[in-house]
Amino acid sequence: MKKTILILIIISVLSCRKDFYYDFDHIPQVNVSCFLKAGDTVRVRLSYLVGDTLFGTILADKDYISKADVYLYEDNIFQEKLTYKEIPQINFVEKGWYYSQYFIPTEKHHYNLKIHVPDYDTVYAETYIPEAIPIDSIQINGEALKDSIIFDRNLASSVPDGILDFSVNIFFKDKSGTTNYYDFWSNKFFISYDPAIEPRYNREYYENISLAALKIAFFSDEIFDGHTYAINTKFKIDDYKFDYISEFPIKLGLNSLSYDAYAFYKSSYLYLKSLDNPFTEPVIIYSNVKNGTGVFAGISSVEDSFLIVPSQN
Amino acid sequence: MKKAILYFTLFFIYISSITAQNHTVSGIIRDSLSRESLISVAIVERSKNIFTFCNEYGFYSISLPKGKNTLDIILLGYRKKTININSQNDTVLNIDLYQIDISLQQIIVKADIPQMNYYNLPMAKISKMPVIGGETDVLKALQLAPGVTSGNEGSASLNVRGGSPDQNLFLLDGVPVYNVNHVFGFFSVFNTDALKRVKLIKGGMPAEYHGHVSSVVDLYMKEGDLGKIRGKFTIGLISSKFILEGPVIKDKSSFIVTARRTYIDALFRPISKAIADNTITGYYFYDVNAKWNYKLSERSHLYLSFYSGKDKGFVKNDKKDNHDPDILKINTKQEIAWGNNTGTLRWMKIFGHKLSMNNTLFYTKYKYNSANEYFVQEKIEDDIVTKQYDLYNGSGIEDLGYKLNVDYFMSKNNKIKFGATVSQKKFFPNFTSEQFFDNSSLKDTIVKDKQISSATATAYEYSLYAQDNLSIGKFNTIFGVNANAFYVNGKLYYFIEPRMNLICNISKNINIQTSYSQVHQYLHLLTNSSLGMPTDLWVPSTENLNPISAEIYDAGCKLKLLKNIYVGLSIYYKTLDNLIKYKQGTDFMDVKTDWQDKVTIGNGRAYGIEFFAQKNNGKIKGQISYTYSRSFRTYEYINNGKEFSYIYDRPHNLNIQTEYQLNKKIMFVANWILMSGQNKTYGYERFVIEDIGELNTSLSYSYISDYNNIRLPIYHRLDLAFNYTNKREKTTRIWYLGIYNIYNRLNPFYMERSSQRNALTGISYAPITPFVSYSVIF
């Protein structure tokens, strides 16, 4: 139907189409990119907002900012001026990175960035790293998890493409009194039909390739505020079909997100989902950066894992 | 509830305190030729400063003091009639008015100074205005009214005082019409040849109207000539139309039929075949209006009217696979269609000299459908195997109702109107079904018929109203109340809406007016941000979604500057609550998600100042209007909850219309329009975010600072039209030629990404465009 409507619109008006350019004022802005993770070194990348074109836009070296003063504050107390770094890759050098030398952020604190770039207004951003919420327990196919799980290797050959699938429930206790935001991740591909998970991302994975870049299943505690909740996921392991694999780990993680991270993920998800679809409403990417663009968002995480062990049969 | 009782008590105390004793003159005012009743005719007794207007059905009643009185009967486009009457008893006086050439009218009196909030347009004027394609359009003519802006280039949508198009109530012979667009909004569904009168009410909402918060566009169909058969045939560049009217029983019963159809599909068929063999692409619309009226007696009339219109676009492919001889046939078909059907049965009865009553039974339906069909037939060994897959999607709304309107001309200074409406509304916001047929297994035929989604709702709407129009000295007050209720899914909403107008005639040449209206709207139109698509969904208020609520305040003054020049100024302020809009990122073509999960709720505010100057007679006539207005919206899940400038927020809007009547045959019309560009949401810059998620992904995003972040360049254009009327013995021939956008201003229809940085490509579809049509009237 979309195609029909598009064809009709195009045909009905194509004959009198005239194209012309409009130039818009480009107001130069500093773009900040930083996910502040509890327990990790701080790293911030600074670039400029650049003009977009029909043919796509790849940032050149000059579009990254190398001469900035980046100051980090914890609970309004100055901690460190970040150090500029260029990171060598195979064929090029990544520019525009600023790292902390000593300071490591921790959960349950507020953080501020103050950035001076020559000829630009001072840029400010603020976020919070929420308390990490432990995973209470994990069930696999309805049974409590031990350190490893043994699967009959022959099961894999009984399903199409040798994919082994199993259901995992991750239990955790939400804190009451505040709105909390989470994201669940794993090192292996999973699908979730859990009603709490907003993006429906994993089930749309096959439909929209642009979403594949954003491997995040985020959610808020809207439907389970203050209660113990079990996030349900379905894993689909295709590695299992290979005979040479004897055993392998499945890693699971539950991130606690600041509102900034949640809002950014949500807008990113909507943005990627709507790419190349003229029938969607426009999406504005969330930003909490004053006098600039981008995002500065706090995250804390917990991790668990188990082993998949093939049976010896 | 207490509030309701208080309003009604106050209202009836107010009415009962007002009485007067006079003799009454009443009757029907008609066109002398067609014998059709006329609307908005002023009946004036100058020396005693008494005047009234006939109602929508031509009935008037005026209370006059005993003795000699002189009545002037006045209507734009008709020769003024003066009647001397010696009033001793209540008298029935039916009056015939003679139509004159509009250029010769000399009809401005005090009673003609209209309310600032009303905009009346004579059909004769509309039919001479220049429009794209030469297809005259009533809604495009209304776009020139102060306080009204249009949408996209060429669109017939109306945005009245910061409201959205769905907030206008379109009534065709008293029946709501839900989708007023042909060709994605380029034309309205109203055929000007079928219409007798159109009235736009922008504020000071009369109590009889309810259910739409911005404006009322009240359109009346012609009734048909009671005297003789007449007709008109028009051939234009994109469509042709005809009108035929005449008596069924002379002076007792008449009919009128009009029809219009485009022939874009016929013109485009050879081109589409040339582009792709075996492919047929087409688009057309048609509409048909018909009305029959029967005079039961001099004081009792029966009317039956009907409207049907449809747009249809399709792409059909019919081919044989040359590479595989076993594939016998592959057919594909995609089509979309939408349209309205309305029907009205009205009985008008006059009781005594002061009371007229109209009973109306009405039906209206809007339906949108799309279909995707795939059919393949192949030969497998000796068997013919058929596979077919069809997917259907649609939406619609259907009303069946009854309406009562009573006009009671209580005294020379006091006119009361009251009535009621009850209607059943059925909503089909989204229905999708698929059918699958396959006999390829040769033994078992598989047939699947699956309803994917079918969200329907039935609602009941009730309304009671009463309004008193009272003149005391220099003051004229119109005070009314509309009590309305809406019942849906077990939830009952009800509101008492006060409506107040105060007009002070400071002198013969100056009046000032102020009004206050409270209105609620139980219907919401879910629309996308780009085109006015037929896929827009009409949805009801539900248990989770409150009705739209609006409060409108306005004030203005109008004065006569010179003999024939009027100027006016008005200001307004409007608040809107419980508006809905698709959330950001929502795919409005996604039929699997319930519409309630796709919307966010918000509110809006609008304000503005309107100025106009008008010269209504002489060889050169015209109007200048300028509006400064702003309109804003705030939604929880759009623009991060921050207020933003509404898509139709176009602060400056200047219209200049002029007509020059060279002689009885030749007339020139010129319209110049200048307004601020439309707001759109586009990104023309980009930024990159690093370290996203567990994979530390880097993604690039288009930068949009705010919703509706871009104001398109100023919109302006000049249109010229030339009318040549050649009257012959039995026929009149009219040539209607013109040029739309004469200086070829490229006003953007939409924008897309550009090959240049910090730029967008504007796409214009309406460069300089000549048009011509030819009409024969017999």
Side-chain angles (χ1 to χ4, degrees), chain B residues 375-393:
Chain B
F375 175 89
V376 61
Q377 206 168 51
E378 59 185 311
K379 194 176 173 187
I380 300 177
E381 295 174 357
D382 292 332
D383 293 303
I384 305 292
V385 171
T386 302
K387 290 178 188 174
Q388 185 167 352
Y389 175 73
D390 302 334
L391 179 68
Y392 301 102
N393 171 247

Side-chain angles (χ1 to χ4, degrees), chain A residues 4-294:
Chain A
T4 317
I5 293 173
L6 273 174
I7 289 169
L8 287 167
I9 293 170
I10 291 164
I11 286 172
S12 60
V13 292
L14 202 62
S15 55
C16 47
R17 175 180 165 135
K18 298 273 178 199
D19 294 8
F20 47 99
Y21 290 114
Y22 278 125
D23 290 324
F24 288 93
D25 289 339
H26 170 63
I27 302 166
Q29 291 195 66
V30 171
N31 176 51
V32 179
S33 184
C34 176
F35 289 92
L36 202 61
K37 291 169 186 165
D40 270 7
T41 302
V42 179
R43 69 178 209 156
V44 178
R45 196 170 198 193
L46 300 181
S47 57
Y48 295 111
L49 187 66
V50 296
D52 197 8
T53 73
L54 184 62
F55 312 114
T57 302
I58 297 169
L59 270 62
D61 283 354
K62 65 177 176 53
D63 296 322
Y64 291 99
I65 300 169
S66 57
K67 289 178 182 170
D69 296 325
V70 182
Y71 302 95
L72 181 68
Y73 297 78
E74 183 183 71
D75 296 331
N76 289 321
I77 299 165
F78 173 70
Q79 299 297 330
E80 189 179 336
K81 182 182 175 187
L82 305 188
T83 307
Y84 179 70
K85 273 192 180 176
E86 293 184 353
I87 302 173
Q89 300 292 345
I90 297 169
N91 293 325
F92 63 101
V93 176
E94 274 189 6
K95 299 194 171 183
W97 287 106
Y98 294 81
Y99 277 71
S100 63
Q101 298 277 49
Y102 322 104
F103 181 75
I104 302 292
T106 51
E107 59 191 71
K108 295 196 284 184
H109 289 285
H110 285 272
Y111 292 92
N112 293 69
L113 273 182
K114 192 170 158 184
I115 302 165
H116 296 297
V117 177
D119 304 324
Y120 285 80
D121 289 342
T122 304
V123 174
Y124 301 93
E126 181 181 353
T127 193
Y128 176 76
I129 299 184
E131 183 181 355
I133 302 296
I135 295 171
D136 289 342
S137 60
I138 296 172
Q139 283 183 352
I140 298 175
N141 286 341
E143 292 184 15
L145 172 71
K146 296 160 191 158
D147 292 339
S148 62
I149 182 165
I150 298 171
F151 276 106
D152 184 349
R153 187 188 292 275
N154 294 327
L155 278 176
S157 58
S158 65
V159 291
D161 302 327
I163 294 172
L164 180 65
D165 56 4
F166 53 94
S167 160
V168 177
N169 284 325
I170 301 100
F171 290 81
F172 63 97
K173 172 83 170 68
D174 180 56
K175 287 189 78 178
S176 61
T178 56
T179 307
N180 301 305
Y181 306 98
Y182 302 94
D183 112 62
F184 172 77
W185 62 269
S186 173
N187 61 333
K188 294 295 176 185
F189 181 71
F190 64 90
I191 285 175
S192 178
Y193 290 94
D194 193 288
I197 293 182
E198 288 185 45
R200 322 280 183 258
Y201 154 69
N202 292 289
R203 69 185 77 157
E204 287 162 4
Y205 176 82
Y206 294 110
E207 297 171 18
N208 191 334
I209 196 70
S210 57
L211 284 170
L214 189 75
K215 277 204 160 188
I216 302 162
F218 59 86
F219 53 100
S220 78
D221 63 357
E222 192 181 338
I223 64 167
F224 56 84
D225 182 30
H227 294 87
T228 295
Y229 192 74
I231 286 287
N232 177 262
T233 58
K234 282 242 174 210
F235 278 77
K236 289 183 178 292
I237 312 292
D238 55 1
D239 304 17
Y240 195 72
K241 65 189 172 188
F242 300 113
D243 289 341
Y244 59 84
I245 293 175
S246 55
E247 59 182 44
F248 55 88
I250 301 282
K251 288 183 185 174
L252 304 173
L254 183 67
N255 288 342
S256 293
L257 307 178
S258 60
Y259 173 75
D260 304 305
Y262 170 80
F264 174 79
Y265 285 168
K266 187 166 183 170
S267 59
S268 281
Y269 157 70
L270 292 171
Y271 174 87
L272 294 170
K273 196 175 165 221
S274 67
L275 280 179
D276 303 324
N277 183 351
F279 297 104
T280 52
E281 292 293 305
V283 178
I284 298 173
I285 298 295
Y286 174 83
S287 173
N288 61 340
V289 176
K290 282 183 189 168
N291 299 332
T293 64

Side-chain angles (χ1 to χ4, degrees), chain B residues 669-715:
Chain B
V669 182
N671 288 348
W672 189 60
I673 295 161
L674 171 79
M675 59 181 155
S676 307
Q678 210 174 339
N679 284 323
K680 293 280 183 186
T681 308
Y682 285 114
Y684 57 91
E685 293 160 306
R686 224 164 169 83
F687 63 98
V688 175
I689 299 294
E690 315 278 348
D691 290 348
I692 303 170
E694 293 308 310
L695 300 179
N696 287 344
T697 309
S698 163
L699 286 172
S700 162
Y701 300 91
S702 182
Y703 174 68
I704 300 170
S705 57
D706 286 293
Y707 200 82
N708 287 337
N709 59 324
I710 282 176
R711 187 172 293 286
L712 299 184
I714 293 171
Y715 179 99

